[in-house]
């Protein structure tokens, strides 16, 4: 191998190391759009605010995913769709939700059996989206349109009057078509 | 009383892919006949090799991909690829080169991408280009056309070359093959000969390249048939021919001694075949009407450039492949306006 | 059956209605039992306001529209309410009200003709139309009163009546225009009063010569300068609302907007006749003209039938089945929805019933293949879409591509399906994806609302906490001060 070839190869290696090292160093010094990333992950989460991921709400979990503290397979209400969407956003291999954090259920809303409700108001502060209306010793009811089905109100109720009901799909719509 | 249910529409037009492919093959027939008359029986031999190889490769690829083979084979698309390749290849090509080209076209030009409907490149052109670059001498060896054509001898030459790759002992390449018109044009212009001097050489006929002009005319007839039947739409052929003819005419007007002009280009080489049969492959072409105009014009223009300044005599194959690369971008930029959409 | 030879989109189809277009309207015999479905399309559902066992008179209200746009439903026959809810033998049709006809034809006392409709206040007129339960009879079932009121609110200037009937097999509107053109004109005048538009154009296709002549005569007799007739080429889907409006007025309805945005309003001619009848006799929407046809029917024709009549009885009224009918659908051959059972009842959405034999059907000649990007679908799409690109986007479920290529603008006309050489069921795919898109949009909206509620709650609790801490500080300070002062 003549000196010219050696010089060429050596130069190429030096150049590669220099450029790669510069880029790597620059990546660490560039301001990270951390907040923006958390927002984007949060936008993909179902906002059930159930806490099954062991974080107090969807945004804290999104922050944990962004910082690398938690993996993206912890959201049962989001299911596989959410896990894959987050994986695609972060350019990671997709992962199925981990069943140890809960099972993915079809859409459900809570319903209070008014015959059994005692008006103790213990479920009111439990709801993370304020979907239960009521006051002490007055009837409580769940605003179905606002309920995310997170099940956090079930445990506090002393008379077990809250149950979860599957949401029936709306009747299929007619085709738009002709009208002619 | 109970009934079967099925989604609308309950009546369809009944166009099928096999029917389209059949009509394309039918439209190729005049060009094939002209080819055989001018250049000898080579085309028939080439197709006799290309067709089974194509079908076999397609069946093998589908088996490897674990897809049902029969529906795909029945649609005839691979036969069209074989036919186009056979008609583009020199008739004297040895059978193993034809087989190689066909295998490359079907496997690397089509199935590697997912089969029918997914190939970004025209499969026949992929096969042709691979052969042209790898075997330049064999791929530019065309029989001489002109007064001394003796069809039976040409046939004997063809058959012998087809089987063994060399001419029969009593014939020689030099006596029976020569440069095509486009080839002579390229070499002559390189040597700074004037058009007059180049034209005086054998392969030039009245309109364009001798011999090739008949194939082009026949291909034009077949292409008009396809146009009439609605199998191809006018955008790509018209744009291609315009894209080729306009620069050629302009160049000739500016420098009459250095450029042969539009008519020559339109009726030599694979122009008409390209315009109506090759560039119109819908899978690899642009998809909107406006996009197709740009796509066709690009192929025509590139063909003229390659013919004028490129290293290969006929630029249609490379022009098609280059515009295949550009087709997705063209599609992106020429999305037609949706009803009610306001462009801002 | 060929694609148009010029560059405009759409298809020229075999109309399959030459013989039925010569027939007069025949009144179908009154059914012994009616089953009025509560679902009105697009998630609208009526709430029953009667009880089982109750006796109702013809035309009495039996279901009220729930929140949002919907229409009241009225009893098509007088009799006793047999059941409310899913039908025991026809659960798949959904919930409805079954009434046993007692044959008395006793009319509800609320039925009152309105002789001075022309001098009614437009809002009162709309209220009457609403009370009559009139809905769009072209197939979409949109409540007419709501549509007219919207038109009024947006100050529409041009009303267009859709008498195009472009789809093969359907000719009920043609029969209506041939036999009662005066009612069409009357309905047009009433609608003009209700929505406040300045002029009205009745649009028909050029293959309806007799109907056109009848309408011309009626228009001449009425002498109303605001009304006119427009004859359009018989191309499918000329009767699709947006395409029709563009053909008549030359204006284009903007994407993601409705016709009132450009001062237009479109209604079906059948709806106009229903309004005219409502004012003339007080009769609410309890019947409609329906074409009963197909090679599987012995005597195809146009029937005047009560809503809720079992389709089997309608077919019997048309001579019964002939040949070996294989498929039963309502609508035309391009967008018709197949029914699994002829016990299904007539709804106000059904303008045509087709009992098709094998001769009337043409399925794709082969199984579905890959798209070869021939572009024929784009050539015929009346909405200017690229179905081949949409197909690719639907397969990859790419939301950005779906939006760029305008899936939301697909009118589901079926033209692309018709021409596809690879036998791809495009309309089915698009319809499913549109439903999925709507569900995703609803899901996203719900998630956003939940997030906002959660964030609001967090702020509320934080404020409560801050208030509590402040009070605690204040109390501590007061205690300190008082102990310092006091001793």
């Amino acid at each position: 191998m003549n000196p010219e070839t050696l010089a060429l190869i050596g130069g190429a290696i030096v150049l590669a190391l220099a450029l790669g090292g510069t880029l790597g160093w620059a990546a660490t010094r560039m301001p990270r759009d951390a907040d923006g990333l958390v927002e984007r992950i949060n936008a993909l989460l179902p906002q059930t605010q159930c806490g099954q991921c062991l974080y107090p709400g969807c945004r804290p979990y999104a922050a944990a995913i962004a910082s690398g503290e938690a993996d993206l397979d912890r959201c049962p209400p989001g299911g596989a769709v959410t896990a894959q969407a987050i994986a695609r956003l972060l350019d990671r291999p997709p992962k199925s939700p981990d069943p140890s954090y809960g099972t993915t259920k079809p859409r459900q809303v809570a319903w209070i059996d008014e015959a059994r409700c005692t008006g103790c108001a213990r479920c009111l502060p439990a709801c993370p989206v304020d979907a239960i209306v009521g006051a002490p010793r007055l009837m409580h009811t769940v605003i179905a349109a606002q309920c995310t089905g997170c099940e956090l109100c079930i445990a506090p109720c002393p008379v077990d009057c809250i149950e979860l009901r599957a949401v029936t799909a709306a009747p299929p719509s007619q085709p738009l078509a002709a009208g002619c | 009383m109970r009934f079967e249910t099925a989604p609308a529409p309950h009546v369809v037009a009944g166009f099928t892919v096999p029917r389209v492919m059949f009509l394309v093959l039918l439209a190729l027939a005049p060009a094939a006949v002209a080819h055989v008359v001018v250049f000898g029986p080579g085309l028939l031999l080439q197709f006799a090799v290309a067709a089974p190889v194509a079908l076999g490769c397609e069946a093998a690829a589908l088996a490897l991909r674990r897809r049902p083979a029969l529906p795909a084979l029945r649609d005839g698309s691979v036969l069209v690829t074989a036919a186009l390749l056979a008609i583009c290849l020199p008739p004297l090509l040895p059978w193993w080169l034809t087989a190689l080209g066909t295998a490359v076209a079907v496997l690397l030009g089509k199935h590697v991408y997912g089969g029918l409907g997914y190939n970004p490149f025209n499969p026949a052109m992929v096969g042709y280009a691979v052969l042209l670059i790898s075997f330049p001498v064999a791929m530019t060896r065309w029989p001489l056309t002109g007064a001394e054509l003796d069809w039976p001898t040409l046939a004997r030459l063809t058959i012998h070359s087809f089987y063994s790759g060399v001419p029969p002992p009593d014939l020689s390449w030099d006596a029976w093959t020569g440069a095509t018109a486009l080839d002579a044009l390229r070499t002559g212009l390189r040597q700074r000969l004037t058009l007059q001097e180049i034209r005086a050489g054998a392969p030039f006929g009245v309109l364009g390249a001798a011999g090739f002009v008949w194939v082009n005319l026949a291909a034009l007839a077949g292409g008009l048939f396809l146009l009439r039947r609605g199998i191809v739409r006018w955008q790509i052929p018209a744009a291609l021919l315009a894209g080729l003819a306009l620069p050629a005419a302009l160049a000739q007007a500016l420098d009459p001694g250095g450029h042969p002009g539009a008519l020559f280009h339109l009726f030599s080489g694979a122009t008409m075949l390209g315009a109506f049969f090759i560039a119109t492959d819908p899978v690899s072409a642009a998809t909107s009407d406006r996009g197709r105009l740009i796509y066709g014009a690009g192929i025509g223009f590139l063909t003229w450039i390659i013919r004028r300044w490129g290293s290969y005599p006929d630029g249609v194959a490379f022009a098609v492949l280059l515009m295949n690369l550009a087709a997705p971008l063209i599609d992106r930029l020429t999305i037609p306006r949706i009803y009610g959409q306001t462009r801002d | 059956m060929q694609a148009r030879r010029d560059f405009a989109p759409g298809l020229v189809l075999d109309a399959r209605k030459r013989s039925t277009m010569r027939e007069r309207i025949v009144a179908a015999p009154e059914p012994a039992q009616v089953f009025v479905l509560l679902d009105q399309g697009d998630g609208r559902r009526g709430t029953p306001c009667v009880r089982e066992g109750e006796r109702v008179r013809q035309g009495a209200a039996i279901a009220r529209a729930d929140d949002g746009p919907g229409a009241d439903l009225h009893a098509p026959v007088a009799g006793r309410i047999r059941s409310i809810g899913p039908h025991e033998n026809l659960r798949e049709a959904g919930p409805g009200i079954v009434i046993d006809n007692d044959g008395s034809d006793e009319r509800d006392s609320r039925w009152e003709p309105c002789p001075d409709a022309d001098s009614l206040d437009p809002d009162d007129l709309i209220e009457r139309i609403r009370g009559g339960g009139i809905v769009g009879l072209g197939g979409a079932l949109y409540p007419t009163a709501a549509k007219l009121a919207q038109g009024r609110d947006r100050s529409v200037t041009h009303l267009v009546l859709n008498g195009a009937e472009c789809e093969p097999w359907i000719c009920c509107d043609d029969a209506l225009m041939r036999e009662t053109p005066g009612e069409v004109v009357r309905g047009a005048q009433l609608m003009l009063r209700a929505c406040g538009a300045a002029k009205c154009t009745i649009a028909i296709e050029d293959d309806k010569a007799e109907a056109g002549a009848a309408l011309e005569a009626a228009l001449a007799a009425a002498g109303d300068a605001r009304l006119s007739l427009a004859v359009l080429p018989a191309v499918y889907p000329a009767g699709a609302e947006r395409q029709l409006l563009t053909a008549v007025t030359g204006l284009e309805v903007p994407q993601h907007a409705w016709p009132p945005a450009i001062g237009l309003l479109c209604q079906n001619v059948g709806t106009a006749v229903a309004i005219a009848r409502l004012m003339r006799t007080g009769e609410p929407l309890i019947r409609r003209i329906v074409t009963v046809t197909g090679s599987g029917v012995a005597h195809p024709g146009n029937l005047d039938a009560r809503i809720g009549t079992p389709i089997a009885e309608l077919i019997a009224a048309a001579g019964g089945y002939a040949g070996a009918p294989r498929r039963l659908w309502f609508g035309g051959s391009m967008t018709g929805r197949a029914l699994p059972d002829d016990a299904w009842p007539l709804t106000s959405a059904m303008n045509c019933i087709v009992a098709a034999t094998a001769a009337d059907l043409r399925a794709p000649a082969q199984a579905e293949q890959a798209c070869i990007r021939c572009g024929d679908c784009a050539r015929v799409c009346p909405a200017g879409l690229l179905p081949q690109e949409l197909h690719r986007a639907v397969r990859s479920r790419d939301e950005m591509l779906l939006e760029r290529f305008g899936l939301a603008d697909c009118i589901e006309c079926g033209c692309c399906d018709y021409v596809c050489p690879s036998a791809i069921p495009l309309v089915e795919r698009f319809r499913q994806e549109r439903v999925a898109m709507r569900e995703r949009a609803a899901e996203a909206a719900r998630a956003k609302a939940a997030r906002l509620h959660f964030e609001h709650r967090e702020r509320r609790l934080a404020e409560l906490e801050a208030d509590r801490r402040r009070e605690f500080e204040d109390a501590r300070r007061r205690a300190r001060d008082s102990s310092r002062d006091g001793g």
Side-chain angles (χ1 to χ4, degrees):
Chain A
M1 205 173 279
N2 59 22
E4 283 170 352
T5 321
L6 271 173
L8 267 169
I9 295 176
I13 293 176
V14 167
L15 198 60
L17 285 173
L19 285 174
T22 313
L23 281 173
W25 172 83
T28 60
R29 294 302 300 249
M30 286 300 219
R32 275 230 225 135
D33 188 12
D35 262 355
L37 183 61
V38 172
E39 275 309 323
R40 278 189 286 165
I41 297 177
N42 194 25
L44 294 171
L45 293 171
Q47 303 303 319
T48 319
Q49 321 291 355
C50 59
Q52 288 182 75
C53 54
L54 304 182
Y55 286 91
C58 296
R59 203 166 197 290
Y61 179 46
I65 295 178
S67 68
E69 186 184 314
D71 205 349
L72 45 82
D73 60 352
R74 292 204 198 180
C75 180
V81 175
T82 304
Q84 277 169 22
I86 299 177
R88 202 165 348 141
L89 175 70
L90 300 175
D91 207 14
R92 286 194 215 163
K95 236 176 159 174
S96 316
D98 187 341
S100 63
Y101 290 96
T103 45
T104 304
K105 296 183 189 149
R107 200 174 145 235
Q108 53 190 13
V109 293
W111 178 79
I112 291 177
D113 186 351
E114 301 191 351
R116 298 191 7 215
C117 173
T118 60
C120 72
R122 287 206 208 145
C123 57
L124 299 177
C127 176
V129 292
D130 285 341
I132 309 186
V133 187
R137 280 180 280 133
L138 293 175
M139 186 53 65
H140 304 335
T141 190
V142 175
I143 304 175
Q146 225 164 286
C147 172
T148 62
C150 70
E151 304 186 23
L152 287 173
C153 53
I154 311 275
C157 176
V159 294
D160 278 338
C161 71
I162 308 183
E163 66 185 46
L164 287 157
R165 290 183 163 181
V167 175
T168 48
S173 54
Q174 304 271 10
L176 254 197
C180 46
Chain B
M1 188 167 152
R2 303 285 300 182
F3 291 89
E4 67 178 30
T5 57
H10 304 283
V11 171
V12 295
F15 306 135
T16 60
V17 172
R19 191 147 186 290
V20 169
M21 298 300 160
F22 170 72
L23 285 171
V24 169
L25 287 174
L26 195 63
L28 263 181
V33 167
H35 196 281
V36 169
V37 166
V38 173
F39 295 116
L43 170 62
L44 302 171
L45 295 170
Q46 304 298 344
F47 188 66
V49 168
V53 170
L55 288 166
C57 286
E58 176 127 310
L62 289 165
L64 276 174
R65 289 172 57 204
R66 282 181 257 248
R67 295 283 159 100
L70 213 44
L73 288 176
R74 245 205 295 253
D75 70 28
S77 59
V78 79
L79 278 180
V80 171
T81 305
L84 283 175
L85 194 53
I87 205 169
C88 288
L89 292 174
L92 302 169
L93 209 63
W95 64 269
W96 56 88
L97 288 184
T98 312
L100 178 66
T102 311
V104 165
V106 174
L107 295 174
L108 286 185
K110 188 172 162 190
H111 278 283
V112 132
Y113 298 103
L116 179 68
Y118 294 98
N119 43 292
F121 297 107
N122 188 313
M125 291 301 102
V126 169
Y128 183 88
V130 165
L131 282 179
L132 184 57
I133 295 176
S134 317
F135 305 97
V137 177
M139 285 293 288
T140 50
R141 189 181 287 135
W142 285 80
L144 273 179
T145 54
E148 66 272 17
L149 172 67
D150 174 10
W151 208 87
T153 318
L154 185 56
R156 194 159 60 84
L157 172 67
T158 307
I159 295 170
H160 201 276
S161 159
F162 179 74
Y163 276 113
S164 62
V166 294
D170 60 321
L171 301 170
S172 70
W173 286 135
D174 296 327
W176 288 92
T177 67
T180 61
L182 284 172
D183 215 346
L185 185 66
R186 179 176 57 97
T187 330
L189 287 174
R190 284 264 170 80
Q191 295 168 352
R192 307 258 179 229
L193 297 173
T194 68
L195 218 48
Q196 244 74 343
E197 291 164 332
I198 302 175
R199 271 189 183 273
F204 279 75
V206 173
L207 252 186
F212 279 100
V213 66
W214 299 112
V215 180
N216 274 287
L217 281 169
L220 176 62
L224 291 175
F225 165 73
L226 287 180
L227 211 60
R228 183 85 180 77
R229 294 299 293 259
I231 305 290
V232 308
R233 304 206 59 213
W234 63 270
Q235 280 86 1
I236 295 182
L240 193 155
L241 295 175
L244 180 58
L246 287 174
L250 192 62
Q252 186 186 43
L254 292 176
D255 178 12
H259 296 89
L263 267 182
F264 171 79
H265 275 293
L266 286 178
F267 290 102
S268 58
T271 308
M272 289 298 171
L273 271 175
F276 289 96
F277 295 90
I278 299 175
T280 50
D281 168 41
V283 182
S284 49
T287 199
S288 59
D289 280 348
R290 213 154 24 119
R292 286 180 174 180
L293 286 172
I294 298 174
Y295 173 81
I299 295 181
F301 186 58
L302 281 173
T303 305
W304 180 72
I305 290 187
I306 296 175
R307 283 182 179 176
R308 175 66 187 86
W309 288 289
S311 310
Y312 291 94
D314 195 359
V316 173
F318 295 115
V320 168
L321 290 173
L322 284 171
M323 290 310 288
N324 284 155
L325 275 173
L329 180 63
I330 294 175
D331 278 341
R332 180 86 159 71
L333 296 174
T334 57
I335 300 176
R337 194 182 68 91
I338 299 174
Y339 175 95
Q341 197 177 39
T342 43
R343 293 268 190 213
D344 41 25
Chain C
M1 276 165 280
Q2 50 176 355
R4 294 195 64 182
R5 284 287 163 203
D6 56 25
F7 294 114
L11 297 167
V12 174
L13 297 174
D14 188 1
R16 310 303 303 265
K17 40 180 136 171
R18 311 250 174 275
S19 53
T20 26
M21 272 166 67
R22 286 196 289 269
E23 304 278 336
R24 292 196 61 80
I25 299 176
V26 171
E30 266 198 40
Q33 194 184 72
V34 293
F35 179 32
V36 180
L37 292 180
L38 292 174
D39 280 332
Q40 297 173 31
D42 255 348
R44 299 188 289 263
R45 188 179 273 192
T47 315
C49 60
V50 290
R51 262 190 269 274
E52 280 184 24
E54 190 179 325
R55 191 180 174 275
V56 290
R57 297 195 186 87
Q58 192 182 65
I62 55 176
R64 299 276 181 210
D66 40 10
D67 320 305
D72 296 345
L73 298 170
H74 299 87
V77 295
R80 203 160 292 280
I81 307 277
R82 186 195 189 84
S83 70
I84 299 177
H87 194 284
E88 44 182 351
N89 299 326
L90 204 57
R91 299 197 78 84
E92 51 203 343
I97 300 176
V98 180
I99 307 176
D100 285 328
N101 190 356
D102 64 8
S104 68
D105 258 359
E106 195 184 331
R107 291 187 174 185
D108 191 71
S109 50
R110 278 193 347 147
W111 276 32
E112 276 167 15
C114 182
D116 55 348
D118 291 311
S119 48
L120 265 185
D121 186 50
D123 289 323
D124 290 336
L125 185 56
I126 291 180
E127 188 50 40
R128 274 188 181 252
I129 295 174
R130 201 197 62 73
I134 310 290
V135 293
L137 292 178
L141 287 187
Y142 197 81
T144 307
K147 204 166 178 181
L148 290 169
Q150 282 164 19
R152 188 168 190 72
D153 291 339
R154 305 289 295 266
S155 308
V156 295
T157 53
H158 193 169
L159 174 71
V160 175
L161 284 193
N162 189 346
E165 221 167 35
C166 52
E167 214 175 334
W169 293 112
I170 312 176
C171 60
C172 55
D173 289 345
D174 174 78
L176 213 54
M177 292 188 290
R178 264 187 297 126
E179 296 190 23
T180 57
E183 292 282 270
V184 175
V185 170
R186 184 89 189 97
Q189 291 172 324
L190 290 166
M191 282 194 194
L192 279 176
R193 187 166 184 80
C195 70
K199 58 180 171 164
C200 169
T201 306
I202 306 175
I204 64 170
E205 284 192 330
D206 59 16
D207 59 353
K208 297 178 171 58
E210 225 183 288
L215 279 172
E216 293 270 18
L219 285 171
D224 192 334
R226 298 173 302 169
L227 308 178
S228 60
L229 185 69
V231 180
L232 307 172
V235 173
Y236 178 77
E241 189 182 64
R242 284 163 196 254
Q243 281 65 29
L244 182 79
L245 289 174
T246 303
V248 170
T249 66
L251 301 169
E252 236 181 50
V253 181
Q255 242 185 346
H256 314 310
W258 301 101
I262 50 171
L264 301 176
L265 200 63
C266 183
Q267 291 279 16
N268 182 271
V269 289
T271 315
V273 170
I275 291 179
R277 181 166 51 217
L278 173 68
M279 292 301 151
R280 192 167 42 84
T281 67
E283 181 184 300
L285 186 64
I286 58 171
R287 68 168 86 203
R288 67 159 298 147
I289 313 291
V290 54
T291 308
V292 180
T293 181
S295 302
V297 171
H299 300 301
N302 297 301
L303 299 179
D304 183 348
R306 299 295 165 87
I307 308 283
T309 308
I311 290 177
E313 290 188 29
L314 293 174
I315 304 232
Y321 289 110
R326 287 213 1 224
R327 206 177 288 178
L328 181 75
W329 72 71
F330 71 88
S333 56
M334 295 296 285
T335 60
R337 291 183 56 190
L339 295 169
D341 200 317
D342 65 0
W344 213 280
L346 182 72
T347 68
S348 33
M350 298 184 184
N351 48 12
C352 178
I353 309 279
V354 178
T357 60
D360 298 329
L361 300 170
R362 189 166 342 116
Q366 60 197 7
E368 181 188 340
Q369 290 190 326
C371 165
I372 60 169
R373 297 173 68 77
C374 64
D376 281 351
C377 52
R379 196 159 43 110
V380 296
C381 177
L385 305 176
L386 291 174
Q388 70 273 54
E389 297 290 354
L390 275 174
H391 181 241
R392 205 172 260 201
V394 163
R395 289 187 66 137
S396 57
R397 313 212 82 179
D398 189 329
E399 303 231 4
M400 189 186 71
L401 283 183
L402 287 172
E403 199 184 303
R404 181 192 303 158
F405 290 113
L407 181 66
D409 298 297
C410 171
I411 62 172
E412 299 179 21
C413 65
C415 287
C416 51
D417 252 48
Y418 188 83
V419 295
C420 179
S422 296
I424 302 176
L426 290 164
V427 177
E428 261 315 280
R429 298 267 156 83
F430 295 161
R431 187 178 303 145
Q432 285 166 2
E433 189 60 29
R434 281 159 60 93
V435 170
M437 242 171 73
R438 276 195 284 260
E439 282 172 4
R440 282 199 294 270
E443 188 68 43
R446 270 199 300 271
K448 186 172 172 196
R451 183 171 56 85
L452 290 174
H453 281 118
F454 179 66
E455 286 169 3
H456 185 95
R457 180 171 178 270
E458 297 283 288
R459 273 200 301 275
R460 179 169 61 89
L461 293 176
E463 276 174 22
L464 274 176
E465 186 63 31
D467 284 346
R468 205 166 345 144
R469 196 165 301 132
R470 216 178 306 125
E471 276 183 29
F472 182 65
E473 297 294 327
D474 287 348
R476 223 181 31 187
R477 205 182 316 119
R478 269 184 303 219
R480 205 171 354 113
D481 291 345
S482 70
S483 75
R484 211 188 313 128
D485 295 341

